[in-house]
Each structure stands twice: as C-alpha cells, then as structure tokens.
Amino acid sequence: MRKKIVAGNWKMNLLDEEVINFIVDFNSRKNEIESDSEIIILPASIYLDTMISMPDWDIKIGAQNCSQFNNGAYTGEISAAMLRDFDYDSENLHYCLVGHSERREYFNEQNDVLAEKVNRLIENGLKPIYCCGEELQHRESESHFDWVQAQIEEGLFHLKEEELKQVVIAYEPVWAIGTGKTATSNQAQEMHAFIRSLIAKKYGDATANSISILYGGSCKPENASELFDQPDIDGGLIGGASLKVDSFIQIINSF
Ligand code: PGA
C-alpha cells in the first residue's frame, strides 16, 4: 500500500507567534482527524526549530529547500547535512521540497541542479519531495507530458531503485498554483498515471506502485476529496489552504 500524505507548504508565510498559534490550535483539534494519512508541514527554515521544540507535536516536518552543495562558501545556503544535524535525535524532520515551481521560476533552478539536491538529501537520510509540473503554455501546446517527463527523468532517474523509493513526487501544474484554478481530477489523474508509468518502465511495477505521488495547485476542502479519490493520487501538497488549521484539517479528512 502506498503512503497517503497531506503536506502543507507554508512558503514564506507566518511569523513565529503565528507558527506557535497554529501548532497549539492544531494540537487541540487532533481528535477531529479521521484519516490515517501522514501529515507533513514545511515551514520556513528559520521556524523548523520552533516546530521541532513544540511539545506534543508529532506531525512530520520538512524544509522547503536545501543547497546542492555539501558545504563551503555558499553564503545564505543551508546544506542537507545541516538539516539532518538539526533534528538528529527526535527525527521529526524527515522531508525537504526540491524543485518547487517557485524555485524553478524565481531562482532559476534547473533539473540538473535539482538532481544534485536530491542526491544531497538522500545521502543525509532525508526524503526529497520532488516537484514537477507544466506551465500553461506547455498544456496549450500539448507538450505537457514531454515537459514533465524531462523533469522526472533529469531530476530523478539517475537514482538507484532503493534511492528512488525514498522520494515522494508532487505534480503541481504551474497554472494551478495559487491561482484558484485546479486541474480537473481527470487531468490530474492522467498525469499521475503517466508519471507512474515512466517509473514502471525504468524501475518496474513494484517500485512504481510504492511511490506516493501528490497533487498540488489550489487544492482546497471543496475539491480535495475528488482529487484524492483518483487511483494514482496519493495525497496533496497544499499551499494557501494549509495556513489555516480549519481548512488543513478538512483537507486531511478528505481521504
Ligand atoms: P496552492 O500552492 O495550494 O496555494 O496553490 C500549492 C503549492 O505551491 O505547493
């Protein structure tokens, strides 16, 4: 059985007090959670410590980015080893996003650099959540499958089978992120099945069937159930709707 996952990508939102309020509120409403999916929150790195230190907080935590380099003169960067070091004992920090479309767009991150980030994370025992997804122009010119195929092959297909099994994939059509436009459940299912078929061709069916593929892009309480009902959609990477406890819990309960 593939792991069901709901991950909240907080992006560059919430300050310390808001992070604490979210956790306290979420903890007090844990009894409302009816799903056994894995819940992950990806706060800004500066608040990872706040999250790790909160009592009774057993939700998994992830970072939003790491460096492709091991260490050295890379001002402003955080290495995968630093992330691992940060939470060595309590093991709450399990994940890190790689290749979110905002990093691809604003920080010019290309597939080859993202492949290196994936390597650094795996070497340090962290699980990459590898993001892919086409822009509107690709869908309109019907090159969206080729675009996503290149992102998957160039970012991930250098991995050995056991390494690939550490990866979670998030399909996020760029035209749906933060826009209120969601891919229809058919469009999302079609791309998820395509991604799984690429993995099956390269690594075999068993591996393809073990990898969780999340949908992201304006996922909200109103559309989460229909998306999560699709056979190849194993959960969601949630932006805006993960910033409020209420909508986040409703999405978690959409399985
Ligand atoms: P959104 O963001 O849910 O606000 O569209 C999703 C994401 O960028 O991960």
Side-chain angles (χ1 to χ4, degrees):
M1 272 294 279
R2 287 195 293 276
K3 205 186 263 181
K4 306 269 181 210
I5 297 174
V6 179
N9 173 14
W10 282 359
K11 309 191 182 187
M12 201 170 71
N13 293 299
L14 305 188
L15 297 177
D16 195 49
E17 200 184 332
E18 296 165 306
V19 171
I20 293 170
N21 287 344
F22 183 103
I23 297 173
V24 170
D25 191 12
F26 189 92
N27 275 346
S28 72
R29 297 178 59 179
K30 267 193 205 156
N31 59 342
E32 292 174 31
I33 293 176
E34 292 155 3
S35 128
D36 57 1
S37 55
E38 180 161 278
I39 305 166
I40 307 170
I41 291 191
L42 308 142
S45 291
I46 196 171
Y47 300 122
L48 287 168
D49 195 36
T50 305
M51 291 210 128
I52 289 165
S53 322
M54 286 298 283
D56 301 324
W57 177 249
D58 47 17
I59 302 304
K60 301 273 188 295
I61 300 165
Q64 296 175 12
N65 183 34
C66 73
S67 171
Q68 69 268 38
F69 301 111
N70 280 316
N71 63 314
Y74 302 104
T75 301
E77 289 292 272
I78 297 176
S79 70
M82 288 168 181
L83 291 174
R84 177 71 285 167
D85 198 31
F86 202 36
D87 189 33
Y88 203 77
D89 296 329
S90 76
E91 296 245 327
N92 274 339
L93 180 60
H94 284 240
Y95 291 97
C96 182
L97 288 180
V98 177
H100 189 279
S101 67
E102 288 147 16
R103 299 224 47 101
R104 290 176 186 266
E105 183 179 353
Y106 303 126
F107 304 97
N108 199 26
E109 294 187 358
Q110 313 269 345
N111 294 334
D112 54 344
V113 166
L114 301 174
E116 288 302 323
K117 293 189 181 211
V118 167
N119 292 343
R120 296 297 85 73
L121 289 167
I122 290 178
E123 286 160 13
N124 285 284
L126 292 162
K127 296 178 199 292
I129 302 179
Y130 182 80
C131 304
C132 60
E134 80 283 0
E135 292 168 31
L136 190 57
Q137 57 184 3
H138 304 124
R139 190 161 275 273
E140 284 175 349
S141 63
E142 294 184 7
S143 59
H144 47 299
F145 289 113
D146 292 344
W147 185 260
V148 170
Q149 179 166 356
Q151 290 177 323
I152 295 287
E153 289 181 349
E154 292 169 23
L156 295 177
F157 277 10
H158 61 287
L159 296 174
K160 299 191 193 93
E161 186 177 354
E162 286 315 306
E163 294 170 333
L164 188 83
K165 285 184 179 164
Q166 303 302 308
V167 176
V168 172
I169 294 174
Y171 167 61
E172 301 199 301
V174 180
W175 48 272
I177 296 178
T179 58
K181 282 188 203 156
T182 325
T184 64
S185 50
N186 285 345
Q187 285 172 322
Q189 164 57 25
E190 186 182 38
M191 186 60 88
H192 282 231
F194 173 70
I195 294 169
R196 206 178 297 289
S197 76
L198 295 174
I199 300 169
K201 263 187 231 146
K202 165 104 178 146
Y203 295 93
D205 286 341
T207 299
N209 286 328
S210 71
I211 293 189
S212 300
I213 308 180
L214 315 182
Y215 170 80
S218 298
C219 187
K220 40 188 185 262
E222 297 76 40
N223 58 25
S225 298
E226 197 187 328
L227 287 160
F228 296 174
D229 275 352
Q230 302 302 313
D232 286 290
I233 299 184
D234 306 307
L237 179 56
I238 320 298
S242 71
L243 295 169
K244 295 259 164 21
V245 173
D246 211 41
S247 46
F248 194 47
I249 289 184
Q250 284 183 58
I251 292 173
I252 294 166
N253 284 342
S254 298
F255 277 112

